[in-house]
Amino acid sequence: MRRGGGRKAGGDSRDRAVSETISFVLVFALVVASVGTVYALGVSELESTRDAERVENAQRAFDVLADNLGDLLEGAPSRGTEVKLVDATLRSTDGVAVNVTVDPAIGPAESWSYATAALVYDVETGGEIRFANGAVLRDSERGGAAVVRGPPLVVADDRVLLRLIKQEHVGTPAVGGSDTVRIRMLADRPRVFYDNESASYDMVRVNVTTPYTDAWARHYESRGFACDEVAAPTPDASGRISCTVSDVGDVERVTVVWTRVTTAFE
């Protein structure tokens, strides 16, 4: 009887050892599966959040750039803006053009056309910030393209003020890596192209050639224009929109001011 009881006790020990081994294997497998799930889902989300924060930082730097442009328009000789590159590229690009037409009820219509460069901050994994014609535009995979800070213009009940910023870049066209780059801006003295008080106007129109027609159209419409897309952008070419002041019949004064701005990377 005692020998039989001894064998039973030994069997219980072996059963407990097997049960503990199985429990360990199951718990270990659960831990591995949990870590794998977190890695598969969490790391990509963290990377996406990191990239979005990089675009946010670039946008804040370009907001400062727009503030500095305002200082130049007020008469400051030059301004410098520091931009931190983190696996990104800062470059100057073409493909932006502006045409402005003012047609008073009495007198001939006048028109001005010019091409302007754009400064572009490209995040390596997607998304960009643009600075062109005095405006800041953001394009990201999460939120789409939008003009987050418009050009310096005024559309009031009886007055329209358009500031035309012809942006030109000199020196190195692009810089990349993880360094801090200073954008130096110089401006010529603003010139008044047009300043007239008339009983009424038949048309005040702004045409913009840009890769982001939808974003620009939404912005101009929010400022009192009515816009039509003349040509849609393609991967190889910019599109074009035409925007006219909606209540042009109430406008009594139109002013057009032109400024040449030169940018360079330091």
Side-chain angles (χ1 to χ4, degrees), residues 9-262:
D12 290 342
S13 298
R14 287 192 296 271
D15 291 342
R16 284 195 299 271
V18 172
S19 297
E20 291 175 357
T21 302
I22 294 174
S23 298
F24 174 80
V25 171
L26 291 176
V27 170
F28 183 76
L30 180 61
V31 170
V32 171
S34 299
V35 171
T37 301
V38 170
Y39 182 82
L41 300 179
V43 170
S44 61
E45 183 64 25
L46 288 174
E47 290 177 346
S48 179
T49 301
R50 178 202 61 192
D51 296 337
E53 183 61 26
R54 289 177 177 175
V55 177
E56 288 285 350
N57 292 336
Q59 180 182 323
R60 286 191 284 268
F62 274 44
D63 283 339
V64 175
L65 190 66
D67 287 337
N68 288 338
L69 174 63
D71 293 340
L72 295 179
L73 297 179
E74 294 299 324
S78 68
R79 284 290 184 268
T81 306
E82 290 188 348
V83 179
K84 174 65 175 177
L85 301 182
V86 182
D87 295 329
T89 300
L90 182 62
R91 59 187 172 90
S92 175
T93 184
D94 298 324
V96 180
V98 179
N99 168 268
V100 173
T101 300
V102 177
D103 188 6
I106 300 175
E110 296 193 43
S111 182
W112 304 268
S113 299
Y114 63 98
T116 182
L119 293 182
V120 181
Y121 183 104
D122 286 314
V123 178
E124 190 175 83
T125 54
E128 70 174 36
I129 304 293
R130 282 182 166 243
F131 180 74
N133 201 34
V136 179
L137 183 143
R138 173 173 176 166
D139 181 22
S140 64
E141 295 179 353
R142 288 188 169 188
V147 176
V148 295
R149 181 163 180 163
L153 61 85
V154 175
V155 179
D157 293 337
D158 59 351
R159 184 193 180 204
V160 174
L161 168 62
L162 302 176
R163 289 187 177 271
L164 311 183
I165 312 297
K166 180 174 175 56
Q167 193 170 302
E168 299 177 345
H169 189 79
V170 297
T172 303
V175 291
S178 299
D179 296 329
T180 297
V181 178
R182 179 184 293 272
I183 302 173
R184 175 66 61 184
M185 286 195 302
L186 304 170
D188 293 346
R189 183 181 299 275
R191 296 169 55 191
V192 177
F193 271 3
Y194 186 91
D195 188 20
N196 188 27
E197 292 189 55
S198 176
S200 63
Y201 285 84
D202 291 335
M203 179 182 62
V204 177
R205 181 178 63 205
V206 177
N207 296 333
V208 181
T209 300
T210 172
Y212 296 100
T213 53
D214 288 345
W216 276 104
R218 288 194 302 270
H219 175 75
Y220 274 109
E221 288 173 349
S222 72
R223 299 298 301 272
F225 289 79
C227 298
D228 295 313
E229 186 177 63
V230 178
T234 66
D236 300 322
S238 297
R240 183 167 173 260
I241 59 170
S242 180
C243 302
T244 57
V245 176
S246 300
D247 298 325
V248 70
D250 297 329
V251 174
E252 299 176 357
R253 182 176 184 178
V254 175
T255 305
V256 180
V257 180
W258 184 86
T259 306
R260 185 194 306 272
V261 175
T262 303

